[in-house]
Amino acid sequence: MDSLLHGVEGFMYPNEIELQWSVLIVLYPFITGLVAGAFILASLERVFRVEAVKPTYRLALLSALAFLIVAPLPLQLHLGRPERSLEMYLTPHTSSAMAMFGFVYLWYLMAVLVLEIWLDYRKDIVLLARSTTGPLRWVYKAMSLGSDNISPRALEVDDKVGYFLTVIGIPSAFLLHGYVGFIFGSIKANPWWSTPLMPIVFLFSAIVSGIALVMLMYMVTSWFTGREISMPCVDTIARYLFYAFVIDFSLEMLDLLHRVYESDESFKTLDFMVHTRLYTSQVIIQIVIGTLVPLGLLALTQLVRLSESARKGTYALAGVLTLMGIFAMRWNVVIGGQLFSKSYLGYTTYKMGFATREGLLPAILLMLLPFVILWVLVRLLPPWHDEPHPPAEGAAQAA
Amino acid sequence: MTDRRQFLESSTKLLLLTGAAALGWDHLQAGEPEKAPNYHTADHWWAMAIDIEQCIGCGNCVRACKTENDVPKEPYYFRTWVERYHVEGGDIERPQVDSPNGGYDGFPEKYHAGDGSKNFFVPKLCNHCAHSPCVQVCPVGATFEAADGVVLVDKSYCLGCRYCVQACPYGCRYIDPRTNTVDKCSLCYHRITKGLTTACCETCPTGARTLADLKNPKDPIHEFLRKNKIQVLKPQMATGAKVYYAGLDGSVR
Amino acid sequence: MRALFKDQEHLARMAGLFVAGIVAFLVLQQLLVPKGFGLYGHYRAGALDDNRARPVSFAGQAACAECHTDQAAARKAGKHARVSCEACHGALAAHAANPESKPEKPHGRATCLKCHTANVAKPAKFPQVEPSEHAETGLCTECHQAHNPGMGS
């Protein structure tokens, strides 16, 4: 504990020396961001009729669900008294963004995501309920809610309602992650957080990370299951990723420029922090490696005609770096906002444990958990209608 | 005919009485301090007056508070603390500030007399804001402003989410490591509702800290506010802070 | 009509599930919200009582003056008039409740030096001494009377 005092430079209010929000609170906006972004990519096909990205529709929805299920877990681990967390639903304080977010989360999970997945998969669920044997049959029967109707008329109704859900799902996704931005942006006590741009920056970086995730998931799962990657699909996704990233980067640069220009009382202390304690995570990882390099790579694919395999490799690299960059952005907001003193006279350090309740190990495990859940979901509700066609097999058969 | 009317009358009475009894029972179970003798929240509007010119940085207040309120002794948890300011060459934008263990053991001498600098102590505590940002952000209602102006914490309801700690511009909140819930200055609520003063004001040897009741017309705070140049901390945050400082320098954060 | 509904029946089932969930939540809310919540504001009314229930450690000088009238009078007459008893003697509520229990006597040097050690940040008009220059050893009480600190014990 005493080592915390050694990490203090200058003056911190005595209660500020120990950081309040840990890496788990970094994880939470990252995860909800992936959810919102994945959903918005899915809505591209459904609402805006971008046919090219259709192969990723179901995968995007299932990914969103897997991550949304995990989203409350870092929060539970972080709470001082997790057993009291139900209080947020029992006696929500309507002036608290955090309390209201509980209902936004619930709305998005149940009324948007689960409903939409159910409607899109209902035909498959009923068919699987009929054809499966063993205990799994009851799972499908439960999911079908006992209804056996997959007549064309019923499916038409499903489609219409699903469309409607996606339409309200888009502003709901905006709300889901914009709200997380507002939780930070509305804190006047913290100049690093307090800006009206915060919800918008969070939202666009969420869209960027979600698109990158789905793109990577599509490429990885296709490769894993021996399915061919539709190049028009990834080309289109990469193009949208590029556009979203340009907007996101512009917004972040606007925030930076604004701060530098106005140079208010907090600027000197924040500037010093970015140049010293936050330099690696902010300048090197977030800006250079996590934004400029992937932007450059994506721009390259838009300007120069590359071969299929070159494009795939570039997209994959850009996707990975993007996810790193967006994670770094969350880190810089959450941790960065607590490294400096509200007296503007000092700095402290963040000591992240490893195998502690809020340490690196639980953070890693929580990031792996959605993939485990996704694996279960994909087995339960396969996103593909076709059988895998590994190219080698086809070539051998042709020969 | 009369039987029916009697029946209706008595059953209405019964209904009303039951309803009233239920309400009363609710109030009883809720433990209404309003109904307790002598102390009425509506009669008070608590604040504190701090006279910077009187503070000698002895640390009595810090020690007394930790004793009275069972605050953990480690240097990361303070309901109140004292800061020392050293302003050289009139540079109020870059003061040197320190608060060794919050001032708990006093302040070992660090500076030299006659170097042309300005030095003074500033005691700090929860400002019991009238428009408290910490109360605004609490998701469950575990921190609140009582009707007598004291911002309190409900220890048995707090989730330990730490949102209020982030929202407080003054750094006056901390998480009690023993209960994992938030804690902060309660203006010694258990003392002031009994007619005593706060522990910090009781042990302050110079009268630098004085508890004040703005609703009491005889309270010396009124003269204090009229006679002195008064400041609150971070007025631009519009928190409605109720700790009034006389003689606060522009360098104070 | 029947035929029309038949193709939307599964939606009705889902809607029913939602309604059941909301009703269950509302019931849960009624059961679990603590008594007295919302009575005075968005908080548990009992929290006021909880905050008032803490035990008192410092008795307050009025309590001391009830028995120790001589010391109280001596203090009132001198420079330590504004220094309460417990500022030097520490928390005395236990002693006030049970006068048989004798509290520790404050140290005749260390206690004084807590306030009176010279420090650049102290107001200039406050009486302060450099301990090494002003009676380097020995107790302050040898020359100064603690309750009425003039010269002469």
Side-chain angles (χ1 to χ4, degrees):
Chain A
M1 257 298 221
D2 276 323
S3 59
L4 273 175
L5 283 175
H6 292 309
V8 175
E9 190 188 320
F11 172 71
M12 306 256 335
Y13 297 139
N15 289 328
E16 276 184 323
I17 294 170
E18 204 185 345
L19 258 69
Q20 302 297 325
W21 282 349
S22 65
V23 66
L24 294 181
I25 305 300
V26 174
L27 221 56
Y28 171 71
F30 186 62
I31 292 176
T32 49
L34 293 172
V35 171
F39 184 86
I40 289 175
L41 182 66
S43 68
L44 269 179
E45 186 268 328
R46 201 72 194 271
V47 175
F48 298 106
R49 308 268 183 241
V50 181
E51 288 292 321
V53 303
K54 203 178 166 85
T56 58
Y57 178 70
R58 282 184 161 183
L59 190 63
L61 287 182
L62 290 183
S63 304
L65 183 62
F67 277 90
L68 197 61
I69 291 173
V70 173
L73 295 181
L75 298 179
Q76 287 293 97
L77 263 182
H78 154 78
L79 281 179
R81 305 298 288 253
E83 76 275 12
R84 295 180 185 169
S85 52
L86 200 61
E87 288 171 6
M88 269 206 241
Y89 285 105
L90 297 175
T91 60
H93 196 186
T94 49
S95 69
S96 167
M98 194 183 277
M100 292 296 96
F101 183 76
F103 291 94
V104 173
Y105 171 87
L106 206 59
W107 160 263
Y108 190 81
L109 176 67
M110 297 311 298
V112 177
L113 206 52
V114 166
L115 260 187
E116 185 163 331
I117 291 176
W118 182 68
L119 285 170
D120 192 65
Y121 269 99
R122 213 176 60 82
K123 178 171 171 212
D124 295 22
I125 291 172
V126 172
L127 288 173
L128 285 163
R130 288 179 190 165
S131 62
T132 322
T133 52
L136 205 55
R137 182 149 190 254
W138 294 106
V139 176
Y140 288 119
K141 282 220 111 176
M143 280 202 269
S144 70
L145 296 186
S147 166
D148 201 35
N149 187 349
I150 46 171
S151 67
R153 179 89 184 93
L155 294 179
E156 213 181 294
V157 169
D158 286 352
D159 195 58
K160 280 212 179 76
V161 177
Y163 178 84
F164 173 69
L165 273 180
T166 315
V167 169
I168 55 170
I170 297 171
S172 301
F174 274 48
L175 195 63
L176 182 80
H177 205 64
Y179 225 117
V180 178
F182 185 76
I183 285 178
F184 291 97
S186 59
I187 298 297
K188 64 184 171 190
N190 192 320
W192 191 233
W193 294 344
S194 172
T195 162
L197 273 178
M198 195 60 89
I200 309 184
V201 169
F202 260 66
L203 180 59
F204 274 93
S205 52
I207 292 173
V208 168
S209 64
I211 295 178
L213 176 78
V214 175
M215 182 176 77
L216 283 171
M217 289 301 308
Y218 174 62
M219 292 170 77
V220 165
T221 51
S222 302
W223 175 70
F224 243 36
T225 58
R227 288 185 162 83
E228 202 184 308
I229 295 176
S230 155
M231 283 319 288
C233 181
V234 282
D235 284 333
T236 311
I237 297 179
R239 199 155 32 94
Y240 279 106
L241 178 61
F242 179 60
Y243 298 155
F245 221 158
V246 167
I247 299 176
D248 179 44
F249 186 59
S250 310
L251 285 167
E252 296 197 21
M253 285 301 106
L254 178 65
D255 180 59
L256 176 68
L257 260 149
H258 195 88
R259 282 180 198 273
V260 172
Y261 189 89
E262 280 202 347
S263 195
D264 70 6
E265 58 169 347
S266 64
F267 179 69
K268 279 209 181 72
T269 200
L270 294 176
D271 187 45
F272 183 77
M273 178 181 71
V274 172
H275 280 98
T276 55
R277 276 156 205 256
L278 218 56
Y279 190 74
T280 311
S281 58
Q282 172 105 4
V283 180
I284 306 293
I285 301 182
Q286 182 189 332
I287 296 182
V288 177
I289 302 178
T291 308
L292 294 176
V293 171
L295 263 179
L297 289 172
L298 290 168
L300 188 72
T301 62
Q302 299 296 310
L303 297 169
V304 176
R305 189 164 296 179
L306 297 169
S307 72
E308 223 180 78
S309 57
R311 289 209 309 276
K312 279 191 222 174
T314 313
Y315 294 153
L317 181 62
V320 169
L321 293 180
T322 301
L323 287 175
M324 263 176 66
I326 303 298
F327 182 82
M329 181 264 183
R330 309 307 193 218
W331 176 278
N332 293 322
V333 170
V334 177
I335 303 297
Q338 302 173 86
L339 288 181
F340 67 97
S341 167
K342 291 198 179 85
S343 70
Y344 305 150
L345 289 173
Y347 307 90
T348 184
T349 26
Y350 174 43
K351 294 257 182 326
M352 181 166 59
F354 183 70
T356 55
R357 185 158 84 124
E358 297 199 62
L360 187 60
L361 185 62
I364 293 175
L365 293 174
L366 282 171
M367 274 313 298
L368 293 175
L369 187 58
F371 296 101
V372 173
I373 296 177
L374 185 62
W375 184 82
V376 171
L377 286 174
V378 164
R379 296 294 289 259
L380 206 58
L381 301 169
W384 307 284
H385 289 278
D386 57 332
E387 285 302 309
H389 293 297
E393 226 181 74
Q397 281 190 337
Chain B
M1 204 57 173
T2 41
D3 276 332
R4 197 187 290 168
R5 182 185 282 169
Q6 270 183 335
F7 174 73
L8 279 172
E9 261 183 47
S10 49
S11 52
T12 316
K13 274 200 204 132
L14 192 71
L15 211 69
L16 287 171
L17 278 174
T18 318
L23 209 69
W25 182 243
D26 242 341
H27 280 249
L28 205 73
Q29 288 204 308
E32 275 207 308
E34 275 276 43
K35 305 280 184 273
N38 301 330
Y39 186 79
H40 304 283
T41 50
D43 293 341
H44 304 273
W45 190 243
W46 297 108
M48 190 174 284
I50 296 189
D51 193 348
I52 294 294
E53 315 267 287
Q54 305 294 328
C55 181
I56 57 172
C58 65
N60 259 6
C61 51
V62 186
R63 290 186 291 272
C65 175
K66 286 216 177 187
T67 303
E68 178 74 34
N69 294 293
D70 190 27
V71 179
K73 296 283 192 292
E74 285 89 350
Y76 313 104
Y77 316 111
F78 294 90
R79 286 185 170 212
T80 187
W81 68 98
V82 181
E83 297 172 4
R84 171 172 52 182
Y85 280 74
H86 173 82
V87 182
E88 266 180 42
D91 187 2
I92 58 171
E93 283 193 25
R94 263 174 295 258
Q96 284 178 50
V97 186
D98 70 328
S99 184
N101 197 7
Y104 189 87
D105 309 300
F107 288 82
E109 184 59 275
K110 219 167 101 165
Y111 305 109
H112 307 290
D115 64 354
S117 63
K118 181 165 62 172
N119 304 273
F120 52 92
F121 296 104
V122 181
K124 295 237 185 128
L125 68 159
C126 167
N127 288 268
H128 294 279
C129 305
H131 314 293
S132 168
C134 67
V135 171
Q136 183 186 26
V137 301
C138 175
V140 297
T143 191
F144 56 93
E145 196 189 355
D148 48 12
V150 183
V151 178
L152 294 167
V153 175
D154 185 352
K155 263 190 141 74
S156 65
Y157 210 61
C158 173
L159 304 178
C161 74
R162 309 184 189 225
Y163 202 14
C164 59
V165 183
Q166 303 287 8
C168 172
Y170 307 111
C172 74
R173 287 172 167 263
Y174 62 91
I175 291 284
D176 188 331
R178 300 165 303 189
T179 58
N180 281 331
T181 53
V182 95
D183 195 33
K184 68 167 193 72
C185 162
S186 58
L187 214 59
C188 281
Y189 203 64
H190 59 293
R191 296 177 62 89
I192 65 180
T193 50
K194 287 199 192 85
L196 297 169
T197 188
T198 63
C200 56
C201 294
E202 178 70 42
T203 54
C204 176
T206 58
R209 301 173 77 132
T210 325
L211 181 69
D213 184 356
L214 288 164
K215 267 200 174 158
N216 179 2
K218 294 205 200 73
D219 198 295
I221 182 102
H222 302 290
E223 183 72 7
F224 177 84
L225 292 174
R226 200 178 57 81
K227 219 175 48 183
N228 296 295
K229 297 275 190 283
I230 299 294
Q231 280 261 46
V232 293
L233 293 174
K234 305 204 184 189
Q236 75 278 10
M237 297 260 171
T239 53
K242 295 214 283 340
V243 173
Y244 300 102
Y245 289 86
L248 195 73
D249 189 56
S251 59
V252 177
R253 308 318 190 80
Chain C
M1 191 63 185
R2 193 98 203 241
L4 200 73
F5 181 66
K6 183 167 163 285
D7 291 323
Q8 287 149 342
E9 192 226 344
H10 56 285
L11 290 177
R13 289 183 187 218
M14 184 53 106
L17 214 64
F18 266 73
V19 169
I22 293 173
V23 168
F25 169 73
L26 290 171
V27 169
L28 203 69
Q29 199 180 37
Q30 282 305 303
L31 290 173
L32 291 179
V33 171
K35 280 266 175 310
F37 198 97
L39 210 54
Y40 302 120
H42 194 89
Y43 56 97
R44 202 175 53 88
L48 287 169
D49 264 339
D50 292 348
N51 272 282
R52 291 176 68 173
R54 181 183 282 289
V56 163
S57 303
F58 287 84
Q61 51 187 334
C64 311
E66 271 177 34
C67 299
H68 300 273
T69 45
D70 290 344
Q71 287 87 336
R75 222 170 30 87
K76 260 218 170 78
K79 288 259 170 72
H80 273 181
R82 285 160 70 169
V83 183
S84 73
C85 316
E86 288 164 304
C88 300
H89 288 274
L92 291 170
H95 170 72
N98 175 19
E100 293 304 310
S101 71
K102 288 276 181 279
E104 233 181 272
K105 217 170 173 191
H107 188 263
R109 186 181 176 83
T111 311
C112 315
L113 287 180
K114 270 198 290 203
C115 292
H116 291 286
T117 308
N119 192 301
V120 161
K122 290 189 181 165
K125 56 177 161 55
F126 184 78
Q128 46 194 296
V129 293
E130 197 59 57
S132 54
E133 292 164 17
H134 179 101
E136 319 86 55
T137 53
L139 303 175
C140 311
T141 45
E142 281 174 37
C143 298
H144 297 274
Q145 222 242 49
H147 292 125
N148 190 343
M151 284 297 287
S153 41

